Amino acid sequence: MQKHLIRKLLSNSKATLLCVAFFIFMPALTLLSAPVKNESQQQENILSSFLNQKSQDLYESSASQLIQKNRASEKNMLACLELEPENLFCKWQQLRILNYKNDPSFVTLSDAFTKETEGFSEFGLLAMTLKSNFIFKDVFLEKSQKMFPILFNVSEFQRAIAAQNYSLAKEILQTVLKLDAEYPDLIYMRSKLMLLSQEESSADQNSAVLFANYRKICAALRPELTRKYYYDIDLCHRSL
């Protein structure tokens, strides 16, 4: 009986070797056929990582000081870029400052930033908001909703306003309120909606008064909130 089994195995040695080889090399073949990790994502991870604590501290300070201490914010941003000229956070903060100052170089640098971050997950989305009254394209809706829910709703609000769908715009305002009641540009959005929908009902609630209140709140915005909403390029800088 044993001799019969040995003889049978030997007679099928080629098939056995093929099976053994298959199970040995299958993991390697699977690895080779698996999709390579997205190069754009790897590049973004590298460019958005701080190389040292000093440059990160400079960025954090600049992001916090944008509204209250604009000159100090710019100084820290330039120091951040000097240490890490390719860092995406430092570059983004530069754009925030230029936009806040209405500096004409904002357009050129924002175009360059958009090209550089094309295909990037986080900063690619942020680059889309560099255009005034931005609206995320349908293909980016789900992604933006997950990564930047406030920006997603700002985009949807602007889409509703453009379509003169003011009832939907109201619903979106309520959504933003539930998401983050501290977001200062909520007041601007209310003011904009009131102006366009012609719902000015009383002197203390008309769009002009609301907008004045928006400017007042922004002028006193706490540094931690200025840093928190780093992703909003037009934070406290919108106009009717």
Side-chain angles (χ1 to χ4, degrees):
M1 182 68 177
Q2 289 180 340
K3 289 181 179 180
H4 175 73
L5 287 173
I6 292 171
R7 191 179 297 110
K8 188 174 182 179
L9 284 171
L10 287 173
S11 64
N12 293 322
S13 58
K14 289 184 179 180
T16 304
L17 287 172
L18 284 172
C19 289
V20 171
F22 175 77
F23 284 108
I24 290 175
F25 292 107
M26 186 174 64
L29 291 171
T30 304
L31 192 62
L32 287 172
S33 62
V36 180
K37 187 177 180 181
N38 190 292
E39 291 183 8
S40 294
Q41 187 61 56
Q42 289 179 329
Q43 188 178 4
E44 182 177 24
N45 290 341
I46 293 170
L47 294 176
S48 60
S49 298
F50 289 97
L51 300 178
N52 58 70
Q53 188 61 46
K54 184 177 181 180
S55 55
Q56 183 169 357
D57 290 343
L58 286 166
Y59 163 76
E60 297 287 350
S61 296
S62 180
S64 302
Q65 297 165 331
L66 175 65
I67 296 173
Q68 296 286 345
K69 299 178 179 178
N70 192 263
R71 290 185 179 179
S73 178
E74 185 169 10
K75 181 180 178 181
N76 285 323
M77 175 272 294
L78 291 172
C80 182
L81 280 175
E82 186 176 355
L83 286 174
E84 298 191 33
E86 300 302 321
N87 186 281
L88 292 175
F89 279 103
C90 298
K91 287 185 175 183
W92 179 254
Q93 182 59 18
Q94 181 183 33
L95 289 173
R96 290 185 74 200
I97 291 172
L98 292 175
N99 184 53
Y100 198 73
K101 291 170 58 181
N102 296 315
D103 192 304
S105 63
F106 171 79
V107 177
T108 303
L109 288 176
S110 63
D111 287 344
F113 187 85
T114 300
K115 290 179 181 178
E116 180 185 1
T117 58
E118 185 176 359
F120 287 3
S121 182
E122 177 179 351
F123 283 95
L125 281 176
L126 293 182
M128 295 178 193
T129 70
L130 293 172
K131 301 295 182 183
S132 60
N133 296 320
F134 75 94
I135 295 177
F136 287 126
K137 295 179 181 178
D138 291 345
V139 68
F140 297 109
L141 289 182
E142 184 178 353
K143 188 176 182 182
S144 62
Q145 188 173 21
K146 289 180 179 178
M147 297 191 73
F148 301 108
I150 295 291
L151 288 183
F152 165 78
N153 281 283
V154 170
S155 171
E156 291 301 282
F157 176 81
Q158 290 172 166
R159 191 195 300 271
I161 289 293
Q164 297 184 354
N165 190 342
Y166 302 128
S167 59
L168 176 59
K170 281 184 181 179
E171 292 177 14
I172 295 169
L173 278 178
Q174 292 303 311
T175 300
V176 177
L177 183 63
K178 291 177 182 178
L179 280 172
D180 193 340
E182 287 188 306
Y183 179 57
D185 285 57
L186 254 174
I187 303 173
Y188 160 79
M189 293 165 75
R190 286 179 58 203
S191 177
K192 182 80 169 180
L193 177 60
M194 186 173 288
L195 177 66
L196 295 177
S197 61
Q198 298 180 340
E199 291 185 357
E200 299 184 6
S201 55
S202 62
D204 62 339
Q205 284 295 310
N206 65 33
S207 60
V209 171
L210 275 175
F211 186 73
N213 192 31
Y214 164 64
R215 302 299 292 176
K216 183 179 179 180
I217 288 174
C218 282
L221 193 66
R222 301 195 310 273
E224 62 268 26
L225 291 181
T226 309
R227 183 176 67 252
K228 174 183 177 180
Y229 303 114
Y230 77 93
Y231 50 79
D232 186 355
I233 194 73
D234 285 321
L235 180 74
C236 285
H237 193 60
R238 293 177 168 89
S239 58
L240 290 175

